[in-house]
């Protein structure tokens, strides 16, 4: 009767309803039975003993940059192994639907810290499509591991229509015909099932390459008229806008957020980047939460995206995106392909005075706290500095923290590796944010910033925190609510057919051992990416926690090991928005 039976686990259906011990029967990629009594195992090909374990819908990662990697390794196993069974592509105005390989390299290389040459090669070598429909067909021809859904990138549309040079020239705006063609590209993407469009106004996201190097992303050059025209299409179709406001201009945040309101027109679903407990600006996150509450009370449909774990980042030398937010840092990153010139710049005393002035500006909107005493050196050829902060090294040498930092980078370059936590450092604040209905849980950036951070298992880490708080007698949400926030809530908002585990639902399943929701979740490891010439990626490894992952009813991962069929058979699908199951049995 069943292809797979999952026996005796604690079942969570993704709606927030009370969990219960149940037996699940899966058939043809769907949940065929949820029973309090054991199921008939006759002729069942796979039986999973889940006694003592949690059985929940596969989790959804709403913010990734796998657009390049999926073309080279469509298993996306780094996310699957942590229970992410649905991945959203096309964040931050970036997608590979329309641009050439060269333009994709310029768009992704520096902003997302994915080596440019691999971006160019991946798109040029695999691109067989010329439209959004063709892109979806190309994805579905691959042996996908997880399910995919996608935004169409505003910068992708703009660069393809105007050319990257014109699309990033301040005094150039699209002609009437060009704007009409951009609208057509958006409409076609929505017809193909994309969940919406992503756009970006953040001014420290810079282009790679030589032609337009260090210009901001094409979507940042769009005038109000262009944004409104594209947003009108999203409104009329009930699809979402993912936006990234400019942190240095609060008015851009207000404008993007307020676009959710209807007032004699359809409201617009808006999800903005991002709500975080930023060290540099304590308390601002509560203002963001208040904005969400006000807008939704006024009839909007607004969310901030939020990473529900500490935002710890690593850097090899000065190669960290936060340096883009001030002039002297951006000047150094501009020379990432000219390392000798960069070394000379960092050694220059006038440049150092400039850097110190930027470093000492502790006021105004910003991401990095700019505190080199809060920056621990983890690797360096000079072993005497390992475990110390740059500030401590400066004290020992009688130097300013900036000079201590730059001295080490000049001498050792990227061999100086260090870490800091930028935001989400206060557990009590994290707990409030995790339960805030105006926030969506996600923002992992999976597939990008490969040397800088690893948040592939953020969902597991949230579940651990919720479980631990309950056991300590200080609950801030139920486990059922946490599961709902990571699964069904997101699926319903983006209107995709996943995220629930009831009879008739898609059989995307995660089985975890709650006894291994432990300190192993915090550890980082390194794993080479063969498709990127062995570049070492920061990853999470908690193999005892996730005992089984199924996508569309097919077993793909468990206990740290891939299924033999992963990468040879397609288990994932492209999930088209607007096709969320309405026939599901309650």
């Amino acid at each position: 009767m069943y292809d797979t039976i999952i026996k005796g686990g604690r079942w969570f259906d993704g709606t927030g309803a009370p969990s219960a011990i149940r037996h699940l029967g899966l058939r043809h990629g769907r949940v065929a039975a949820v029973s309090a009594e054991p199921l008939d195992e006759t002729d069942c090909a796979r039986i999973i003993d889940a006694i003592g374990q949690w059985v929940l819908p596969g989790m959804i990662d709403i913010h990734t940059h796998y657009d390049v990697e999926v073309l080279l390794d469509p298993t996306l196993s780094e996310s699957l192994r942590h229970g992410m069974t649905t991945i959203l592509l096309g964040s931050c105005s970036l997608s590979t639907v329309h641009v050439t390989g060269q333009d994709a390299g310029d768009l992704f290389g520096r902003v997302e810290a994915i080596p440019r040459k691999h971006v160019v090669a991946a798109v040029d070598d695999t691109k067989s499509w010329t439209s959004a429909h063709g892109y979806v067909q190309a994805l579905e021809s691959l042996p996908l591991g997880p399910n995919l859904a996608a935004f169409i990138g505003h910068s992708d549309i703009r660069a393809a229509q105007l050319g990257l040079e014109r699309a990033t020239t301040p005094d150039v705006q699209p002609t009437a015909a060009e704007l009409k063609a951009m609208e057509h590209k958006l409409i076609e993407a929505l017809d193909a099932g994309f969940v919406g469009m992503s756009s970006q106004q953040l001014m420290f996201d810079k282009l790679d390459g030589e032609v337009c190097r260090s210009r901001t992303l094409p979507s940042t050059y769009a005038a109000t008229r262009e944004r409104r025209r594209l947003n009108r299409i999203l409104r009329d179709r009930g699809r979402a806008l993912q936006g990234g406001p400019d942190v240095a201009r609060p008015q851009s945040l207000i404008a993007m957020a307020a676009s959710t309101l209807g007032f004699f027109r359809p409201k617009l679903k808006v999800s903005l980047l991002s709500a975080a407990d930023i060290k540099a600006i304590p308390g601002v996150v509560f203002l963001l939460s208040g904005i969400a509450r006000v807008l939704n009370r006024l009839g909007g449909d607004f969310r901030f995206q939020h990473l529900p774990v500490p935002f710890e980042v690593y850097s090899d030398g000065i190669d960290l995106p936060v340096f883009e937010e001030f002039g002297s840092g951006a000047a150094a990153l501009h020379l990432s392909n000219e390392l000798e010139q960069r070394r000379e710049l960092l050694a220059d005393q006038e440049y150092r005075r400039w850097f110190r002035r930027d470093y000492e500006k502790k006021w105004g909107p910003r991401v990095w706290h700019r505190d080199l005493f809060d920056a621990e050196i983890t690797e360096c050829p000079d072993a005497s500095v390992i475990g110390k902060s740059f500030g401590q090294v400066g004290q020992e040498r009688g130097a300013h923290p900036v000079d201590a930092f730059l001295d080490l980078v000049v001498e050792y370059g990227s061999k100086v590796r260090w870490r800091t936590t930028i935001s989400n450092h206060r557990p009590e604040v994290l707990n409030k944010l995790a339960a805030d209905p105006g926030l969506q849980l996600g923002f992992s950036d999976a597939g990008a910033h490969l040397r800088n951070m690893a948040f592939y298992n953020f969902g597991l880490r949230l579940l651990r925190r919720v479980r631990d708080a309950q056991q300590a007698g200080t609950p801030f949400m139920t486990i059922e609510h946490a599961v709902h926030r990571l699964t069904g809530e997101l699926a319903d908002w983006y209107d995709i057919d996943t995220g629930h585990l009831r009879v008739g639902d898609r059989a995307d399943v995660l089985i975890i051992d709650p006894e291994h929701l432990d300190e192993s979740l915090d550890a980082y490891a390194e794993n080479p990416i063969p498709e990127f010439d062995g570049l070492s990626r920061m990853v999470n490894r908690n193999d005892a926690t996730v005992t089984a992952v199924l996508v569309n009813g097919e077993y793909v991962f468990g206990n740290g090991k891939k299924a033999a069929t992963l990468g040879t058979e397609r288990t994932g699908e492209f999930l088209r928005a607007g096709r969320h199951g309405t026939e599901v049995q309650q």
Side-chain angles (χ1 to χ4, degrees):
M1 292 183 64
Y2 305 108
D3 302 322
T4 298
I5 289 176
I6 302 171
K7 299 172 55 175
R10 177 161 292 280
W11 162 70
F12 300 79
D13 70 0
T15 69
S19 61
I21 303 301
R22 290 291 184 268
H23 306 271
L24 274 64
L26 313 181
R27 185 191 301 122
H28 305 317
R30 294 277 167 176
V31 180
V34 178
S35 173
E37 301 299 325
L39 298 172
D40 182 359
E41 299 178 6
T42 303
D43 296 329
C44 182
R46 183 183 296 276
I47 298 173
I48 300 175
D49 184 350
I51 294 174
Q53 301 186 54
W54 294 352
V55 180
L56 50 144
M59 292 186 285
I60 302 170
D61 194 338
I62 63 172
H63 189 114
T64 82
H65 292 284
Y66 274 131
D67 308 72
V68 176
E69 189 172 337
V70 71
L71 304 175
L72 303 173
D73 177 14
T75 68
L76 301 183
S77 60
E78 203 53 60
S79 287
L80 273 184
R81 74 187 302 140
H82 302 295
M84 297 293 172
T85 58
T86 298
I87 304 293
L88 268 64
L89 306 176
S91 296
C92 298
S93 85
L94 306 176
S95 55
T96 59
V97 178
H98 294 292
V99 290
T100 64
Q102 291 292 324
D103 286 353
D106 290 355
L107 291 171
F108 282 88
R110 183 166 166 183
V111 171
E112 304 304 338
I114 306 171
R116 183 181 184 277
K117 67 176 183 177
H118 298 301
V119 179
V120 174
V123 175
D124 281 346
D125 293 349
T126 64
K127 190 166 186 177
S128 59
W129 59 89
T130 57
S131 66
H133 287 283
Y135 176 73
V136 172
Q137 292 173 0
L139 291 178
E140 291 189 318
S141 72
L142 300 173
L144 297 175
N147 300 310
L148 302 178
F151 297 98
I152 184 75
H154 188 180
S155 288
D156 178 12
I157 293 174
R158 200 169 206 272
Q161 194 61 49
L162 276 67
L164 192 59
E165 170 70 32
R166 291 182 64 234
T168 57
T169 299
D171 58 353
V172 172
Q173 291 299 317
T175 64
E178 287 171 332
L179 185 52
K180 190 70 176 176
M182 291 170 63
E183 291 178 312
H184 176 75
K185 284 181 168 62
L186 174 56
I187 291 169
E188 186 209 29
L190 301 184
D191 287 344
F194 283 55
V195 299
M197 182 184 76
S198 65
S199 191
Q200 191 81 324
Q201 294 184 23
L202 189 60
M203 302 303 286
F204 70 70
D205 281 348
K206 304 291 178 61
L207 294 178
D208 206 341
E210 301 302 326
V211 177
C212 303
R213 186 171 185 78
S214 293
R215 297 184 188 181
T216 56
L217 292 175
S219 63
T220 64
Y221 296 85
T224 301
R225 174 172 172 267
E226 177 182 329
R227 293 196 296 271
R228 285 178 175 169
R229 290 269 295 263
L230 298 175
N231 285 353
R232 184 183 306 131
I233 295 169
L234 297 173
R235 290 179 192 278
D236 292 342
R237 298 290 290 272
R239 302 291 174 84
L241 171 69
Q242 184 208 77
D246 182 11
V247 295
R249 295 185 304 122
Q251 63 269 30
S252 79
L253 186 154
I254 298 300
M256 292 189 88
S259 66
T260 188
L261 299 174
F263 299 146
F264 309 109
R265 59 182 180 176
K267 63 185 175 183
L268 175 64
K269 286 185 177 182
V270 177
S271 178
L272 290 193
L273 317 181
S274 69
D277 181 22
I278 302 173
K279 277 187 180 181
I281 321 175
V284 71
V285 70
F286 299 113
L287 173 62
L288 301 181
S289 179
I291 290 172
R293 284 195 299 274
V294 169
L295 290 173
N296 291 327
R297 286 173 183 168
L298 290 174
D301 195 354
F302 178 82
R303 304 290 186 275
F304 275 110
Q305 293 185 12
H306 168 64
L307 179 70
V309 299
F311 203 99
E312 184 180 35
V313 296
Y314 283 68
S315 180
D316 295 319
I318 202 170
D319 290 304
L320 188 66
V322 295
F323 288 106
E324 299 274 21
E325 70 178 351
F326 54 91
S328 57
L333 295 186
H334 178 78
L335 297 174
S336 60
N337 296 330
E338 304 290 344
L339 295 183
E340 186 55 37
Q341 290 185 34
R342 176 194 276 185
R343 185 173 176 275
E344 293 174 0
L345 176 71
L346 300 184
D348 182 77
Q349 291 303 312
E350 184 175 347
Y351 171 81
R352 291 187 174 210
R353 286 191 288 272
W354 180 21
F355 198 111
R356 284 196 293 270
R357 288 195 299 271
D358 286 337
Y359 172 81
E360 289 166 358
K361 289 178 182 176
K362 305 296 186 182
W363 49 269
R366 61 200 183 282
V367 174
W368 181 36
H369 47 68
R370 302 184 198 178
D371 181 2
L372 288 170
F373 282 92
D374 186 6
E376 180 190 0
I377 302 166
T378 62
E379 299 176 29
C380 185
D382 181 355
S384 69
V385 302
I386 295 175
K388 300 175 182 177
S389 71
F390 293 108
Q392 289 174 311
V393 173
Q395 287 180 330
E396 292 174 359
R397 298 181 177 182
H400 191 282
V402 165
D403 289 308
F405 170 65
L406 295 178
D407 284 345
L408 288 169
V409 174
V410 167
E411 186 168 1
Y412 300 115
S414 62
K415 295 180 181 179
V416 181
R417 189 160 171 78
W418 55 280
R419 67 183 176 192
T420 189
T421 299
I422 291 175
S423 61
N424 298 342
H425 52 295
R426 296 182 290 184
E428 67 279 9
V429 176
L430 268 183
N431 292 347
K432 291 179 181 179
L433 298 178
D436 191 325
L439 275 58
Q440 288 181 336
L441 304 187
F443 196 62
S444 76
D445 260 1
H449 306 294
L450 306 171
R451 296 287 302 148
N452 301 133
M453 59 198 191
F455 302 125
Y456 299 94
N457 68 354
F458 70 85
L460 300 175
R461 293 169 71 180
L462 173 65
L463 292 177
R464 179 189 62 185
R465 203 165 73 245
V466 172
R467 191 272 318 268
D468 289 352
Q470 284 195 348
Q471 292 180 345
T474 55
F476 60 93
M477 66 193 313
T478 66
I479 296 171
E480 288 85 353
H481 187 195
V483 170
H484 172 62
R485 301 223 65 199
L486 295 164
T487 59
E489 179 183 298
L490 300 172
D492 291 343
W493 200 82
Y494 288 101
D495 199 12
I496 51 178
D497 178 20
T498 188
H500 299 91
L501 207 55
R502 305 157 298 185
V503 172
D505 282 323
R506 184 182 297 274
D508 297 332
V509 186
L510 166 61
I511 305 175
I512 61 177
D513 182 350
E515 295 303 314
H516 287 282
L517 290 172
D518 53 28
E519 66 278 358
S520 67
L521 301 179
D522 299 321
Y524 290 140
E526 303 247 348
N527 188 56
I529 308 174
E531 295 79 12
F532 291 168
D533 292 340
L535 174 69
S536 186
R537 180 212 309 259
M538 290 181 62
V539 297
N540 307 111
R541 286 293 180 266
N542 39 258
D543 295 339
T545 310
V546 176
T547 60
V549 179
L550 294 88
V551 176
N552 291 305
E554 296 293 329
Y555 178 87
V556 292
F557 222 105
N559 297 306
K561 295 182 180 179
K562 303 177 185 179
T565 54
L566 187 61
T568 62
E569 299 179 7
R570 179 165 72 91
T571 53
E573 298 181 10
F574 186 88
L575 303 184
R576 291 160 174 81
R579 299 189 179 185
H580 193 69
T582 57
E583 303 286 334
V584 173
Q585 298 180 31
Q586 300 298 326

